[in-house]
Amino acid sequence: TLFRSNGRGEAAAGGETGEDSKKMNSLRNTELALFFLLALFGISVTWKVAARDTGIDFYQFWAVGQALGRPGVTNIYSDADRARLGAEFLEEAKRGENRRLAAVAEYRKEFETYSSPFLYAAFRALSSGNYETDFRNYRLLLLACLVIAVVMLARLTGHAWSTTLGAVAVFSAWFPAFSSDLRVGNVNSLQLAALAIYLWTVTRLRWRHREILGGAILGLALAFKPNVAFVGGALAVRWIVDREMGRLLRHAIGGAAAGVLAVVLASASFGSSNCWKHWLAAMRSLPADIITVDLGNFAPARLIGDQIGFNPSLVLGILFAGAVLATMIRTRRTPGSRAGSPAAIPDALVEGLPLSIGCLLLLLIPQLAWLHYFVFTIPMLLILLRPLGAASSERGAIVWRRILPAFALLTLAVEPVQNIGVEITAGTAGVMIGFSALILLAGGLRELALVRSGDRQAERR
């Protein structure tokens, strides 16, 4: 299906009889039904696997969210409150009958509070106080976010419904980054859904203020977890290079309004605006020993830094950001150019490529990228694996749009390989996963150059 010449699977033009048309429609319906069942199977498999886990990240978000309403909690980012709250929740868990809650509370004897105040405020608002109920509901939310993100991104990039449903199956059941997010109860699938909704908003919503709304979505996502700043930065660079300052301004207005809202809501939940100052101080003091490769930090910057003895994030940032900037400048749009026009390239690619590149930069540059962070490879995978056009036999298209993305997808699937008995160390897994992200970035830069050049063959290559 991935090698089909178009995104809808139409029959060859001309000469189709009524009977042939009925047969083709019947085949398409059968195909859709089978892919729908495959998607349901994938979702059920990952749900069953995740149900055994305790949610070590969710527990901390959940507990800290509840702690905000407790008297005597002055600074959840201080060592004293981290230790005291961890001990209090552990004692409460031991007094109850929930063995899973007791196990995860034992694991989190001392909290590691480094997330934003807005994130903790959001978890406080979503919490009922019952761990099992809240964890189940949160995992359902993560599954819904994955499905929403994959469906939106796949349809925006021209995938047929059959391949869209197939992608839901693959990214739910056979994609370790998402299964990790679901098991530990982190927030990366929420972020991915927010970015998909943003892209849909600015490219498909027919409303004059859609870019202000898009800026608000990005602003809330940034306040929730600041690593999406790489996405906003990549989009902003595109608008600046192409002299689309109006778009940048409208996004900035929406983002500023959303930022103010997030600060007000979080400050109200914490009872003081000092929480933001405390959080920034905590971020600057993040201990290196809690984000090691052995614990599952697969950031290439950390892997390289452990070998050479210093943090290479600045060097990697200059290198990768320079490559993106050079590609954009070299293919800068000029007045009257075809690049990005509706007749040449879909808006979803014009905006989706910088967004997807930003997602990869947040994996390749910082010192921290847990396994579940790699759900951010999904946008680029869907872009590169979109349906090929009439020139699909071209060698470059087959390599960059099929072989290399498929290799990256397989390399990202570390856990299935381990499940069949292959021994893979944390360091080796990190190298494999980081290399996959690098391959996708290279493919994304190639597509960016093709799309921005205004080449009408880009969609066929």
Side-chain angles (χ1 to χ4, degrees):
T1 304
L2 288 173
F3 280 82
R4 196 177 273 161
S5 63
N6 57 61
R8 293 171 296 278
E10 293 88 349
E16 189 179 85
T17 66
E19 189 64 30
D20 290 337
S21 179
K22 290 180 181 179
K23 289 180 179 179
M24 288 301 299
N25 287 333
S26 177
L27 287 172
R28 290 172 193 148
N29 291 337
T30 301
E31 180 186 65
L32 280 175
L34 289 173
F35 274 100
F36 181 73
L37 291 174
L38 180 63
L40 287 180
F41 174 74
I43 291 170
S44 66
V45 166
T46 196
W47 178 266
K48 183 177 180 180
V49 171
R52 298 193 294 263
D53 281 81
T54 57
I56 58 174
D57 290 349
F58 173 78
Y59 167 75
Q60 189 163 254
F61 301 145
W62 175 83
V64 173
Q66 291 186 85
L68 299 182
R70 295 191 174 193
V73 178
T74 57
N75 179 11
I76 64 164
Y77 297 103
S78 69
D79 290 337
D81 272 0
R82 286 170 180 155
R84 181 167 65 85
L85 290 173
E88 287 180 4
F89 276 90
L90 175 58
E91 286 303 312
E92 292 174 12
K94 287 180 177 179
R95 289 196 297 268
E97 298 181 355
N98 189 327
R99 295 177 62 184
R100 175 152 63 176
L101 179 57
V104 70
E106 182 70 30
Y107 179 85
R108 291 290 193 189
K109 290 180 180 179
E110 183 172 331
F111 290 158
E112 297 172 355
T113 48
Y114 297 96
S115 296
S116 79
F118 186 50
L119 184 149
Y120 290 127
F123 273 86
R124 180 186 184 186
L126 295 173
S127 173
S128 70
N130 183 300
Y131 184 75
E132 286 299 326
T133 298
D134 291 341
F135 188 32
R136 180 204 63 201
N137 292 344
Y138 185 66
R139 286 187 289 126
L140 286 171
L141 177 61
L142 290 180
L143 273 172
C145 285
L146 177 80
V147 173
I148 288 169
V150 171
V151 169
M152 282 188 168
L153 292 169
R155 296 300 290 167
L156 282 171
T157 52
H159 287 271
W161 273 111
S162 56
T163 51
T164 298
L165 292 170
V168 170
V170 169
F171 290 125
S172 59
W174 295 285
F175 196 60
F178 174 69
S179 61
S180 173
D181 203 33
L182 193 64
R183 290 198 313 272
V184 302
N186 211 279
V187 300
N188 300 118
S189 299
L190 302 183
Q191 295 176 281
L192 182 65
L195 295 178
I197 292 170
Y198 162 78
L199 189 59
W200 188 279
T201 298
V202 297
T203 61
R204 291 291 178 88
L205 185 63
R206 294 297 170 247
W207 185 43
R208 60 181 299 186
H209 301 302
R210 64 183 179 274
E211 290 179 351
I212 295 178
L213 177 59
I217 294 171
L218 288 181
L220 289 174
L222 181 62
F224 188 75
K225 191 159 187 174
N227 58 355
V228 296
F230 288 93
V231 176
L235 289 167
V237 168
R238 190 198 77 76
W239 298 325
I240 292 170
V241 169
D242 292 339
R243 301 186 182 92
E244 296 183 10
M245 302 307 294
R247 300 196 66 188
L248 180 61
L249 177 61
R250 290 188 288 273
H251 275 78
I253 291 171
V260 170
L261 178 63
V263 169
V264 169
L265 291 176
S267 299
S269 187
F270 274 73
S272 169
S273 61
N274 288 333
C275 58
W276 293 95
K277 178 180 66 177
H278 296 154
W279 169 57
L280 292 175
M283 289 294 291
R284 289 193 294 269
S285 62
L286 181 66
D289 60 352
I290 67 171
I291 55 171
T292 63
V293 175
D294 288 340
L295 292 175
N297 178 11
F298 297 141
R302 182 60 193 249
L303 289 162
I304 295 171
D306 286 350
Q307 299 300 316
I308 63 178
F310 73 91
N311 182 359
S313 291
L314 179 60
V315 175
L316 293 176
I318 294 172
L319 177 65
F320 294 135
V324 175
L325 182 60
T327 302
M328 290 187 179
I329 292 176
R330 183 166 56 88
T331 55
R332 177 187 293 148
R333 292 175 62 184
T334 57
S337 71
R338 295 175 301 162
S341 65
I345 304 295
D347 288 342
L349 279 182
V350 175
E351 304 302 329
L353 275 164
L355 181 146
S356 302
I357 287 171
C359 286
L360 294 173
L361 294 181
L362 75 82
L363 301 172
L364 292 168
I365 295 175
Q367 277 272 289
L368 179 61
W370 303 116
L371 176 59
H372 41 82
Y373 281 33
F374 286 82
V375 297
F376 289 112
T377 60
I378 291 176
M380 188 60 78
L381 282 165
L382 289 172
I383 284 178
L384 294 178
L385 290 170
R386 70 190 189 276
L388 292 169
S392 59
S393 61
E394 182 193 335
R395 181 177 299 176
I398 296 298
V399 171
W400 286 100
R401 295 273 303 278
R402 290 297 177 264
I403 296 175
L404 289 178
F407 175 77
L409 182 58
L410 291 172
T411 308
L412 285 165
V414 174
E415 287 184 355
V417 175
Q418 291 174 321
N419 289 340
I420 62 175
V422 178
E423 293 291 334
I424 299 177
T425 66
T428 302
V431 171
M432 292 169 58
I433 292 172
F435 185 61
S436 298
L438 189 60
I439 288 174
L440 294 176
L441 179 62
L445 290 175
R446 176 184 181 271
E447 288 299 302
L448 184 69
L450 286 173
V451 167
R452 288 176 57 80
S453 69
D455 188 349
R456 291 184 183 273
Q457 302 299 316
E459 274 297 274
R460 296 196 293 272
R461 287 196 283 183

